[in-house]
Amino acid sequence: MITNSPVAELDVIEHAGLSALPQPNPVVFEIGNLSVFYGDALAVKDVTMNVREHQITAFIGPSGCGKSTVLRCLNRMNDLIDGARVQGMVSYHNVDLYDPAVQAVEVRRRIGMVFQKPNPFPKSVFENIAFGPRLNGIKKKSDLSGIVEQALRKAVLWDEVKDRLKDSAFGLSGGQQQRLCIARALAVEPDVLLMDEPCSALDPIATGRIEELLQEIASTYTIVIVTHNMGQARRISEQTAFFLTRLDEVSDSRYGVLVEYDNTEKVFTDPSDKRTLQYIMGQVG
Amino acid sequence: MAESYSVPRPDVPMPQTRESKARTALTRVGFDFKGHGFRGLLSASVGLSLFALFFLLYGVTSDGIPVLAERGWDFLSSPLSADPSRTGVWQGLKGTIQLVVFILVFAVPVGMASAVYLEEYAEDTWFTRFVSLNIRNLAGVPSVVYGILGLSVFVKFLGDFTGGRSVISAGFTLSILVLPLVIIAAMEALRAVPQSHREGAFGLGATRWEVIRHQVIPYAMPGIATGIVLSVLRALGETAPLILVGAVSGFFTTGDQNVVEDLQGPFTALPMLIFSWARQPKAEFEELTSAVIVVTLFVLLLSTLAAVLVRNRFEKRRQG
């Protein structure tokens, strides 16, 4: 985090004095022995990890390794799939997300999500962004306009669409649509942004813009991103979790496991697991 | 010039150049008999349908148009009469419109609500599948069966309320007849809404109700509207259930009545007039039958047109 406030500088100095390592950010998500089932089929087994605040955490691994499944447990998006079942623990600031008293709708208001394929609503650019705030009871046009502009500015889309707020969102390019979806998620002022391969449908230039944008907002948001693109994980994330598929010999079925979770630099230069090394070297996957 | 090489001349053997080899390879296959034959078959089918349609339309209009031209507004606004030169279709027109209103008021909301429940709320269990299967089956049940149901339930059992052989009984009967059609059409339209669209709204913290109200239904509305119109058109043409619930096939007079008396009184509808006039022994009724068919076709055409307009409106709104 870059700031110029003297307090922050003092903080750094103090930490430097105590130990060589900077204090890690507080934990947002604590995942303990998480297993997910779709019907009777085991999708992910025994994932244990902590996601920390105000940084980007990347989930990498081959297709079917359960990285999206784990991501979708973090805002209870799996509830929408018939037959999906969760075992183990997922907590958000020490609150168990699967506690019966917890409302999935409230979870999703605080933990936003951006999907693989840009999915703007079939409405105008303005209405796409205003939809979330409207759900939260904001009705005044002037308030909404302010929120829409702010969200679009954060998503670095304002200059491109400020003259076409009334036009259909479908008229935007794929990259613009995805930034619109990010702006839409930011407009409800979430704490966390979950991103499920947000760039897989985009060209390299659009991808680059989204990566820049994510790095910009990472100082104030906790971001968890699933990506197929190892370069992307390496470029933008602080922490990387590597998932892999494992074959259950008895039932001849495949499920995902967490192989390694560490600082991104460490995972990509000096992984502690041989399978991670094989994957990042391109020998498997 | 390059072209001079490519023209085959019988007197000079073609040199085996790369070009000539490529030319033989690329032009070896001649006329595509299968492709053109298939296309011909398809267009012949279209031609056959058009021919049948044209034949029907010609037969009806050549007999019916002169009557309409001669009688004009009088034919549309006159009540039924045993005298072919004075009889008109007003009561049939009115009955048909009343039936459509019944369907729009009863079958459409109930059908849409059932479809939303089955598609968006009900969990995918054997029971919901069983219910869906049965609804599909009901859509194929012959309409006479619905007529029998209407006769025993609305005409007899609920006779005090419906007035017996009345437009109320017929309206409820036709509503039940089209209910499965409306449900199926609405379910298909809801199923066509991309899952990513729902997820986008859920991801912002919308409740199920908000997702359905603001995203799913507006998206599915053009499809639902088309389905509703098709169902109504189907009901417009139904005759068998009307015969059973007692639509009048002769003639009847309507004097001064209030709305309730009118709804509980005798009634008829356009397809019923076609049926009863076609059976009349008097020769003049033959032309009158054609004339009432033309009127019915015109009503159907207007409904389809309205459907297209409604659909376009919803689609425009969907674009944002």
Side-chain angles (χ1 to χ4, degrees):
Chain A
M1 195 154 91
I2 302 156
T3 72
N4 291 322
S5 79
V7 180
E9 270 169 36
L10 270 178
D11 233 24
V12 173
I13 292 162
E14 201 178 296
H15 285 149
L18 288 171
S19 72
L21 290 168
Q23 199 79 351
N25 294 355
V27 172
V28 176
F29 290 108
E30 199 181 334
I31 304 170
N33 290 319
L34 175 72
S35 298
V36 187
F37 300 83
Y38 293 123
D40 292 329
L42 177 64
V44 189
K45 194 177 176 187
D46 282 340
V47 171
T48 300
M49 65 187 288
N50 290 340
V51 173
R52 293 183 181 277
E53 196 169 50
H54 296 176
Q55 60 184 21
I56 301 179
T57 304
F59 289 3
I60 62 167
S63 300
C65 67
K67 51 197 193 303
S68 290
T69 300
V70 172
L71 187 79
R72 285 165 159 264
C73 287
L74 301 182
N75 70 343
R76 303 241 333 228
M77 215 59 185
N78 278 338
D79 291 17
L80 303 177
I81 299 167
D82 271 345
R85 200 154 46 80
V86 165
Q87 250 174 36
M89 187 205 54
V90 186
S91 74
Y92 166 71
H93 292 301
N94 274 330
V95 180
D96 181 359
L97 284 181
Y98 286 88
D99 187 310
V102 167
Q103 298 291 319
V105 166
E106 295 302 321
V107 171
R108 295 187 203 116
R109 283 198 181 163
R110 277 154 195 84
I111 305 169
M113 190 152 198
V114 175
F115 300 84
Q116 187 167 359
K117 236 184 82 202
N119 59 349
F121 300 135
K123 298 171 184 241
S124 68
V125 171
F126 184 92
E127 288 301 323
N128 259 278
I129 314 266
F131 179 70
R134 279 218 171 98
L135 293 180
N136 293 335
I138 298 168
K139 296 232 159 62
K140 260 172 67 185
K141 182 87 181 167
S142 55
D143 293 348
L144 285 172
S145 300
I147 292 171
V148 168
E149 177 173 347
Q150 216 186 353
L152 285 170
R153 280 191 193 281
K154 270 191 204 159
V156 208
L157 190 60
W158 175 251
D159 290 330
E160 290 163 64
V161 300
K162 65 181 174 205
D163 299 323
R164 14 194 321 210
L165 293 178
K166 287 207 165 73
D167 295 359
S168 168
F170 288 160
L172 304 179
S173 72
Q176 287 173 328
Q177 286 186 10
Q178 194 62 301
R179 276 180 284 147
L180 181 74
C181 292
I182 296 173
R184 186 174 74 185
L186 294 179
V188 291
E189 295 177 352
D191 235 18
V192 181
L193 214 50
L194 306 178
M195 316 194 89
D196 193 356
E197 298 185 33
C199 299
S200 62
L202 304 181
D203 63 69
I205 293 169
T207 300
R209 305 201 63 162
I210 300 225
E211 287 179 9
E212 267 171 45
L213 153 66
L214 292 184
Q215 281 170 306
E216 234 160 78
I217 61 175
S219 57
T220 41
Y221 292 93
T222 306
I223 297 174
V224 185
I225 181 171
V226 166
T227 176
H228 256 124
N229 179 335
M230 282 188 282
Q232 180 170 66
R234 193 167 183 181
R235 281 192 296 272
I236 66 173
S237 72
E238 271 95 352
Q239 302 282 315
T240 295
F242 171 58
F243 291 81
L244 200 57
T245 344
R246 186 184 285 167
L247 180 69
D248 183 7
E249 305 272 347
V250 183
S251 64
D252 192 38
S253 56
R254 291 174 180 280
Y255 57 88
V257 287
L258 176 63
V259 172
E260 183 160 359
Y261 179 48
D262 213 326
N263 287 328
T264 298
E265 232 3 72
K266 172 91 166 47
V267 170
F268 280 99
T269 52
D270 179 26
S272 30
D273 197 293
K274 214 180 90 190
R275 290 168 295 174
T276 315
L277 185 67
Q278 284 179 327
Y279 185 72
I280 61 170
M281 298 289 281
Q283 288 165 355
V284 292
Chain B
M1 257 165 76
E3 279 93 328
S4 60
Y5 274 104
S6 62
V7 179
R9 286 183 303 180
D11 51 323
V12 180
M14 282 264 290
Q16 280 290 304
T17 60
R18 279 196 174 79
E19 183 189 331
S20 70
K21 273 189 207 156
R23 186 166 302 283
T24 352
L26 297 180
T27 56
R28 190 169 43 194
V29 179
F31 187 73
D32 177 11
F33 283 105
K34 271 187 196 163
H36 283 84
F38 186 56
R39 195 190 157 147
L41 200 68
L42 296 183
S43 51
S45 308
V46 175
L48 195 67
S49 315
L50 281 179
F51 178 73
L53 193 66
F54 178 78
F55 195 73
L56 177 81
L57 276 180
Y58 176 77
V60 170
T61 49
S62 65
D63 277 354
I65 294 282
V67 177
L68 287 172
E70 189 192 326
R71 300 273 310 272
W73 182 247
D74 178 51
F75 182 69
L76 295 179
S77 60
S78 296
L80 291 166
S81 160
D83 177 0
S85 64
R86 283 178 51 207
T87 192
V89 296
W90 166 241
Q91 287 153 324
L93 209 54
K94 186 179 123 196
T96 290
I97 292 168
Q98 284 173 327
L99 291 175
V100 169
V101 171
F102 259 92
I103 292 165
L104 291 179
V105 170
F106 293 103
V108 169
V110 174
M112 273 179 70
S114 310
V116 168
Y117 180 78
L118 287 171
E119 273 300 307
E120 304 291 326
Y121 285 92
E123 278 181 42
D124 188 21
T125 60
W126 68 267
F127 183 70
T128 24
R129 276 183 221 182
F130 179 71
V131 170
S132 301
L133 183 74
N134 272 290
I135 291 171
R136 270 165 211 282
N137 258 336
L138 283 177
V141 170
S143 55
V144 179
V145 178
Y146 287 98
I148 297 171
L149 175 91
L151 179 64
S152 59
V153 175
F154 298 118
V155 176
K156 298 211 170 127
F157 185 65
L158 297 172
D160 289 339
F161 160 65
T162 59
R165 308 179 159 230
S166 68
V167 78
I168 300 181
S169 299
F172 279 128
T173 306
L174 287 189
S175 293
I176 292 180
L177 172 92
V178 299
L179 197 54
L181 301 175
V182 174
I183 296 176
I184 292 169
M187 279 175 78
E188 299 288 341
L190 291 170
R191 204 169 295 166
V193 177
Q195 190 60 25
S196 66
H197 196 71
R198 291 191 185 84
E199 285 185 338
F202 275 121
L204 294 171
T207 62
R208 192 168 283 275
W209 152 248
E210 286 161 342
V211 173
I212 293 169
R213 162 75 185 75
H214 296 290
Q215 301 298 337
V216 176
I217 290 185
Y219 196 96
M221 211 50 216
I224 295 177
T226 312
I228 288 170
V229 171
L230 287 177
S231 315
V232 169
L233 289 184
R234 157 94 195 271
L236 271 185
E238 280 300 342
T239 322
L242 296 184
I243 296 172
L244 277 164
V245 297
V248 177
S249 58
F251 63 95
F252 61 99
T253 49
T254 38
D256 286 337
Q257 291 176 322
N258 63 31
V259 182
V260 178
E261 281 167 351
D262 180 47
L263 290 177
Q264 290 187 336
F267 78 103
T268 193
L270 288 175
M272 198 63 208
L273 292 185
I274 300 174
F275 174 70
S276 58
W277 287 358
R279 294 191 311 165
Q280 292 284 335
K282 285 183 191 163
E284 296 95 319
F285 272 104
E286 202 176 309
E287 280 160 8
L288 285 175
T289 307
S290 295
V292 70
I293 292 175
V294 172
V295 172
T296 309
L297 288 178
F298 193 71
V299 171
L300 290 176
L301 185 74
L302 279 184
S303 319
T304 321
L305 220 60
V308 173
L309 288 179
V310 168
R311 194 196 162 89
N312 285 351
R313 221 181 106 86
F314 280 125
E315 264 178 358
K316 205 170 268 174
R317 201 184 291 172
R318 186 163 86 173
Q319 293 301 316

